[in-house]
Amino acid sequence: MSGASKSSGRSIADEAAARKRGRSLAALGYTKPRTYEELRAVLSSGTVHFPKRLRQVAIFLWQHPSDVALGTIAQVAEQAGVQPSTLVRFAQIFGYAGFSDFQGLFKDHVKGSWPEGRARDGQEQAAAEPNANLHFLNGLVGASQASLGRIDKDFDIASFERMVDLLANADLIYVIGSKRAFPVTTYLSLTLSQQGVRNVLVDNVGSTALDQVGCIGSRDAVLAVSFSPYNSITPDLVAVAHERKARIVTITDSTFSPLVQLSDTWLEVVEQDFAGFRSLAASLAVGMALVHGVVARRTA
Amino acid sequence: MSGASKSSGRSIADEAAARKRGRSLAALGYTKPRTYEELRAVLSSGTVHFPKRLRQVAIFLWQHPSDVALGTIAQVAEQAGVQPSTLVRFAQIFGYAGFSDFQGLFKDHVKGSWPEGRARDGQEQAAAEPNANLHFLNGLVGASQASLGRIDKDFDIASFERMVDLLANADLIYVIGSKRAFPVTTYLSLTLSQQGVRNVLVDNVGSTALDQVGCIGSRDAVLAVSFSPYNSITPDLVAVAHERKARIVTITDSTFSPLVQLSDTWLEVVEQDFAGFRSLAASLAVGMALVHGVVARRTA
DNA sequence: TGAAAATTGGAAATCGTGTTCGAAAGCGGT
DNA sequence: ACCGCTTTCGAACACGATTTCCAATTTTCA
């Protein structure tokens, strides 16, 4: 609220200053947004086209309003990945004198939705859900959360560390998984690559998977992901890799998985399902942690 | 959060300084409260008796936590009807270096009760975790759960139903998404197929994506998934589909997505990230719900 | 391809904020 | 009522935060 009161007394000078820079939105027929909702409306209208960095700022403001309200300009800038001056420029484009002034908008908003907005009614809401689609969505969310919750409970950290070791020491990592596991492997492969870890995603495009794994050497490692029913091509591919003496680490959902016997180390991740639709949340989280562990080990 | 981290590094010196003033609570057997809840507990315990001005401060803190979090010391002092220095003294009595440090408590609390800040819970929980890998895993789980939690809060059920409508009435569904969105689209495509809904996953294998979307007709629909940064091929592909008069529904993470303007209907799903690794849990859950909705509509 | 314009990064300068400190006022005990 | 201790006040100071400005870079348009 202080920000608002302060700005009101200086708005004329502010706008004059901004206009002098020739970038004020007033020139575009916009008036300075006076509330957080107005700002959101302007941002979402899509009529304003920002260059790269300023767009980055807009996206961050959109997604993390409370961080903007509570932080200093330096903190916000770092989190958004831009320079502090960029934030100031952004604020000025909207007709504000500077960041502090602009921040008042966010402070007001956060304060406004407090403490009335504290109603933690997740459970009650779900219980009396009239809409079938919402009911289903809540069921899926529940299944995902249950899967995630189970990770904390019984997680074999020793196996996990062995897996990190094996993968980190590998020459090349082959990522294998089909059907339901494929989304997991694509994300793992993408993330590994983004982190600079060379890897091959065995996707079986062109039915070349067997030939790909035929190239595996004894200094390579296989990261396999497989869920029941185990009727996909994955066990076959892993068996080939096993014959070729590669290290094999597996994420699967039971000891009955045919991959368990082939693996040097394996982790059990059980996903909950709702009405036949199975979550992938836990597998993704564990997989990401694996990637992170490998990167950390390699750069150490 | 910055306040908290800052304090941890200086706490020893802080407490020494406070003790020298002879008013530290440590002398009374109290330890410095580390969270807002702990502070409330101490205040409400009634075991500490403050002189007039300090009591005034305590009452104000109790009743207006958000003002304390958002304001400057001068503003808080004025609202509470005391001098700024009184606030500093109050903070020091509790073992903090000063008001800024103390204020961090309130900022954390406010941010924690704000949707996108909830992953912090997992992070702090993990702070006591000795194993770095476990810490990271917990962070990811926290991010996933925060993402899922946000679905309940603000979900545009109307948009969702329009999306189901459009997809259910489509002749053929094209599923488009690249990079981080690709795992989501692969799972959507797989599930659609398993449920008997004909669809094309535009995966750009062989760089044929443009040719694929060139076949889209006006009775088809596109289900696009895209996250920031929006620098992939997805917008180009969707633009082609748009020109060919197909219905377009989108799952994305902000209004700045270039897909929004091309879409008939879109849903905002914001994923939390942890150390740069972003969750997909919420997008997957929403996507699955979409598939289920389409199947239900078609078989009805 | 080259020139002009727009955008961005970064450091220097400015401004505001929090903290400290000494003096004054209040309070309780003798 | 006096003395000593505690609490409060308010101004000066120092620090950190914000803003400004200019050079470097990127983009745009001819």
Side-chain angles (χ1 to χ4, degrees):
Chain A
M1 54 147 189
S2 68
S5 63
K6 215 193 303 173
S7 71
S8 64
R10 306 193 308 204
S11 59
I12 294 171
D14 297 351
E15 277 160 24
R19 210 172 299 123
K20 197 167 57 183
R21 316 198 124 252
R23 287 286 325 193
S24 148
L25 281 187
L28 299 170
Y30 279 101
T31 109
K32 170 165 114 184
R34 257 153 241 292
T35 69
Y36 176 74
E37 274 73 21
E38 277 181 38
L39 174 67
R40 277 211 139 202
V42 174
L43 287 180
S44 63
S45 70
T47 49
V48 196
H49 285 297
F50 292 114
K52 195 174 54 175
R53 277 287 122 88
L54 291 179
R55 162 162 295 236
Q56 200 173 323
V57 169
I59 292 173
F60 184 82
L61 299 185
W62 183 273
Q63 296 186 341
H64 304 276
S66 73
D67 290 283
V68 178
L70 268 354
T72 68
I73 191 174
Q75 291 165 353
V76 175
E78 191 191 336
Q79 290 179 53
V82 300
Q83 294 289 324
S85 50
T86 305
L87 289 175
V88 174
R89 266 197 302 271
F90 188 91
Q92 288 173 336
I93 286 175
F94 279 89
Y96 287 88
F99 178 76
S100 306
D101 207 9
F102 184 65
Q103 194 185 30
L105 225 61
F106 289 79
K107 292 194 174 184
D108 285 346
H109 176 65
V110 169
K111 199 181 307 179
S113 36
W114 181 272
E116 290 81 3
R118 300 183 68 190
R120 285 269 163 271
D121 48 7
Q123 301 158 349
E124 303 157 31
Q125 204 179 6
E129 195 43 67
N131 184 302
N133 280 325
L134 258 189
H135 167 72
F136 187 82
L137 179 61
N138 282 326
L140 286 169
V141 169
S144 298
Q145 280 174 331
S147 302
L148 290 165
R150 215 165 345 186
I151 293 181
D152 284 341
K153 287 192 71 167
D154 33 46
F155 185 73
D156 188 344
I157 182 68
S159 282
F160 181 87
E161 307 238 296
R162 278 200 303 278
M163 290 172 76
V164 170
D165 266 340
L166 291 175
L167 292 174
N169 292 324
D171 186 27
L172 183 59
I173 298 175
Y174 284 76
V175 187
I176 303 180
S178 354
K179 304 206 176 177
R180 257 208 333 271
F182 190 60
V184 180
T185 56
T186 55
Y187 200 32
L188 288 179
S189 173
L190 170 66
T191 315
L192 280 168
S193 299
Q194 285 177 338
Q195 300 287 325
V197 178
R198 297 190 309 158
N199 70 93
V200 176
L201 174 65
V202 183
D203 53 14
N204 203 23
V205 166
S207 299
T208 58
L210 270 168
D211 302 293
Q212 279 184 297
V213 296
C215 297
I216 294 181
S218 61
R219 298 182 39 75
D220 297 328
V222 169
L223 170 52
V225 183
S226 179
F227 304 122
S228 67
Y230 312 106
N231 55 2
S232 70
I233 193 183
T234 308
D236 299 335
L237 297 173
V238 174
V240 173
H242 184 251
E243 278 172 24
R244 299 185 64 82
K245 309 268 188 276
R247 300 277 72 76
I248 295 173
V249 302
T250 295
I251 295 176
T252 190
D253 58 356
S254 84
T255 45
F256 305 112
S257 168
L259 297 188
V260 167
Q261 294 149 37
L262 302 169
S263 304
D264 293 277
T265 325
W266 64 284
L267 262 182
E268 184 178 344
V269 177
V270 183
E271 297 278 3
Q272 185 106 12
D273 77 298
F274 180 81
F277 292 76
R278 199 161 305 197
S279 157
L280 292 178
S283 307
L284 284 168
V286 171
M288 286 297 101
L290 215 44
V291 171
H292 173 82
V294 171
V295 172
R297 185 70 52 96
R298 286 215 176 168
T299 56
Chain B
M1 46 152 175
S2 67
S5 62
K6 216 191 302 173
S7 71
S8 63
R10 307 193 307 205
S11 59
I12 294 172
D14 297 349
E15 277 160 25
R19 210 174 298 122
K20 199 167 57 184
R21 313 198 130 251
R23 286 289 324 193
S24 155
L25 282 186
L28 298 170
Y30 281 100
T31 110
K32 169 164 111 183
R34 257 153 241 291
T35 68
Y36 176 74
E37 274 74 19
E38 279 181 38
L39 175 67
R40 283 212 128 191
V42 173
L43 287 180
S44 64
S45 70
T47 51
V48 196
H49 286 297
F50 292 115
K52 193 174 58 177
R53 277 288 120 90
L54 291 181
R55 162 163 297 239
Q56 203 174 321
V57 170
I59 292 173
F60 184 82
L61 298 186
W62 183 272
Q63 295 182 339
H64 305 277
S66 69
D67 291 276
V68 178
L70 269 353
T72 68
I73 192 174
Q75 291 164 357
V76 176
E78 190 191 337
Q79 289 178 316
V82 300
Q83 292 291 323
S85 50
T86 305
L87 289 175
V88 175
R89 253 180 306 118
F90 188 91
Q92 286 173 338
I93 287 173
F94 279 90
Y96 288 90
F99 179 74
S100 305
D101 209 8
F102 185 66
Q103 194 185 31
L105 224 62
F106 289 79
K107 290 195 173 184
D108 284 346
H109 178 63
V110 169
K111 194 174 323 174
S113 324
W114 197 257
E116 84 261 24
R118 260 204 276 170
R120 302 278 164 210
D121 296 349
Q123 223 168 328
E124 284 162 31
Q125 204 177 6
E129 192 50 61
N131 185 301
N133 281 324
L134 258 188
H135 164 75
F136 188 82
L137 179 62
N138 282 327
L140 287 171
V141 169
S144 299
Q145 282 175 330
S147 303
L148 290 165
R150 208 165 352 180
I151 294 180
D152 283 342
K153 282 203 76 159
D154 34 46
F155 185 74
D156 189 344
I157 183 68
S159 281
F160 181 87
E161 307 238 298
R162 278 199 302 279
M163 289 171 77
V164 170
D165 267 340
L166 291 175
L167 292 175
N169 292 324
D171 186 27
L172 184 58
I173 297 175
Y174 283 77
V175 186
I176 303 180
S178 359
K179 304 204 178 177
R180 257 207 336 268
F182 189 61
V184 179
T185 56
T186 56
Y187 200 33
L188 289 178
S189 173
L190 171 66
T191 314
L192 281 168
S193 299
Q194 287 177 338
Q195 300 287 325
V197 178
R198 297 191 308 158
N199 70 95
V200 176
L201 174 65
V202 182
D203 54 13
N204 204 23
V205 166
S207 300
T208 58
L210 270 168
D211 302 294
Q212 279 183 299
V213 296
C215 297
I216 294 180
S218 62
R219 297 183 39 75
D220 296 329
V222 169
L223 170 51
V225 183
S226 179
F227 303 122
S228 69
Y230 312 106
N231 55 3
S232 70
I233 194 184
T234 308
D236 298 335
L237 297 174
V238 173
V240 171
H242 184 252
E243 277 173 25
R244 299 185 63 81
K245 308 267 188 279
R247 299 276 72 74
I248 295 172
V249 302
T250 295
I251 295 176
T252 190
D253 59 356
S254 84
T255 48
F256 305 104
S257 169
L259 298 188
V260 167
Q261 293 152 38
L262 302 170
S263 304
D264 292 278
T265 323
W266 63 283
L267 263 182
E268 183 181 342
V269 176
V270 182
E271 296 279 3
Q272 184 92 26
D273 77 296
F274 179 80
F277 292 75
R278 198 160 305 197
S279 157
L280 293 178
S283 308
L284 284 168
V286 171
M288 286 297 100
L290 215 45
V291 171
H292 175 265
V294 171
V295 172
R297 183 71 50 97
R298 286 215 176 167
T299 56

